[in-house]
Amino acid sequence: MLSSVLHHGDCLKVLPTLPDGSVDLVVTSPPYNLGINYRSFDDTAGRAEFIEWCKSWAAEVKRVLADDGSFFLNVGAAPANPLMPHQIVLAFTEGPDALFVLQNTFHWIKSITVETRRGEQISAGHFKPINSQRFVNDCHEYIFHLTKSGDVKLDRRGAGVPYQDKSNIARWGHTGGVDKRCRGNTWFIPYDTIVSRDKERPHPASFPIALVEQCIRLHGKGTESRVLDPFLGIGSSAIAAKRQGVKEFTGIEMDDYYLSVARERLDAPAEQELF
């Protein structure tokens, strides 16, 4: 059974209270500084101020993360601010005071159109349309996999997919006869279809539960994982930890309403889970 602690407060005040090396896996999505209308956070800071704020909480994430831990950072962009994800990850990984090594970069695909071998085009997923003569619809976000050393071992096939061409299972020796391969760095994870955002997803920038589940499987510690989300929002990462049967989960959220929704979701039986 999941042991969870959900803290109400600013992560810069709560994170220093957590012990060194007490977390195996951090999965989070901080504010993107894109002017999103959060209830209790001003998402309109100056660029330099925002980057310094990110470095402050990231330094605490590094302290509480185990040496073989993984930090999965979800960051999106906007046409008016296209470099922000890259500036954040550069601030974390460059210079003499670098906090992390960028070990992998994943692309979270929200919507995609693919052509089958028969020439049929299939569209799947959801995106927010952009009405512009200059920019195309933005159908993806980044998941930066950050570690302390850059050589943290992952369970690639734990988060893998079956082979499409089954003949590859026998032809390639590294398969060991197992019908599962590394998924790669493109993850198609659509949002669930909803009717009312206010009732079914009452947060302006949440990520799907399945995205966090993928990170937990890939990191590979299974039920022994100790997971942290310092920007809990409405608790999708907590639900993912519950579904994956992990050992411990810690969440931090400064907004009392979002936190109340997270607690309600986490306390609900599996068959009654909310969105």
Side-chain angles (χ1 to χ4, degrees):
M1 179 178 293
L2 175 69
S3 173
S4 62
V5 178
L6 306 188
H7 296 276
H8 180 210
D10 187 329
C11 69
L12 283 177
K13 295 180 179 179
V14 177
L15 281 170
T17 69
L18 305 182
D20 294 359
S22 59
V23 173
D24 302 302
L25 177 62
V26 178
V27 186
T28 199
S29 183
Y32 300 167
N33 203 38
L34 298 178
I36 292 175
N37 186 26
Y38 296 101
R39 285 172 43 93
S40 305
F41 181 82
D42 182 2
D43 197 36
T44 58
R47 181 67 54 91
E49 179 186 355
F50 177 72
I51 293 294
E52 286 304 311
W53 173 74
C54 287
K55 289 172 66 176
S56 296
W57 57 257
E60 281 298 311
V61 165
K62 179 181 180 180
R63 182 187 62 79
V64 302
L65 191 66
D67 289 342
D68 62 348
S70 288
F71 172 21
F72 289 92
L73 174 66
N74 166 222
V75 187
N81 208 351
L83 294 178
M84 179 55 72
H86 311 287
Q87 290 175 322
I88 292 175
V89 78
L90 286 173
F92 288 1
T93 59
E94 285 200 334
D97 58 346
L99 297 169
F100 296 101
V101 176
L102 179 60
Q103 187 165 321
N104 289 284
T105 298
F106 300 94
H107 300 268
W108 165 28
I109 311 300
K110 303 177 182 180
S111 175
I112 192 169
T113 298
V114 298
E115 186 170 316
T116 70
R117 292 178 177 181
R118 296 181 178 181
E120 300 170 317
Q121 288 196 343
I122 299 175
S123 296
H126 305 276
F127 62 91
K128 183 178 181 180
I130 295 176
N131 184 17
S132 171
Q133 297 297 312
R134 296 185 296 150
F135 305 114
V136 299
N137 292 327
D138 191 359
C139 299
H140 97 294
E141 293 188 13
Y142 296 96
I143 308 290
F144 297 118
H145 174 222
L146 302 158
T147 61
K148 291 184 178 181
S149 63
D151 62 0
V152 171
K153 292 183 179 179
L154 301 174
D155 186 1
R156 289 157 38 101
R157 291 201 294 200
V161 295
Y163 282 93
Q164 181 174 1
D165 296 313
K166 303 304 181 184
S167 61
N168 289 331
I169 302 171
R171 184 165 67 246
W172 293 344
H174 68 268
T175 68
V178 178
D179 184 15
K180 188 170 283 189
R181 64 169 177 82
C182 173
R183 182 183 297 264
N185 63 359
T186 53
W187 296 354
F188 174 55
I189 304 176
Y191 283 108
D192 292 334
T193 301
I194 60 174
V195 176
S196 169
R197 172 177 284 277
D198 289 342
K199 294 180 180 179
E200 299 178 73
R201 195 183 295 142
H203 189 281
S206 61
F207 47 38
I209 296 169
L211 186 148
V212 185
E213 289 186 287
Q214 180 75 350
C215 296
I216 294 172
R217 288 191 292 264
L218 182 62
H219 185 61
K221 286 192 177 292
T223 58
E224 293 302 307
S225 300
R226 299 167 298 172
V227 183
L228 166 70
D229 185 349
F231 300 95
L232 180 64
I234 56 174
S236 295
S237 53
I239 301 301
K242 179 180 177 181
R243 288 183 180 179
Q244 290 295 307
V246 305
K247 182 178 181 179
E248 297 177 10
F249 178 84
T250 303
I252 305 171
E253 175 53 49
M254 68 186 304
D255 186 273
D256 56 352
Y257 173 67
Y258 295 153
L259 186 61
S260 70
V261 174
R263 284 175 170 151
E264 183 180 1
R265 296 177 73 193
L266 192 58
D267 290 342
E271 65 274 11
Q272 299 177 17
E273 279 183 2
L274 305 175
F275 40 90

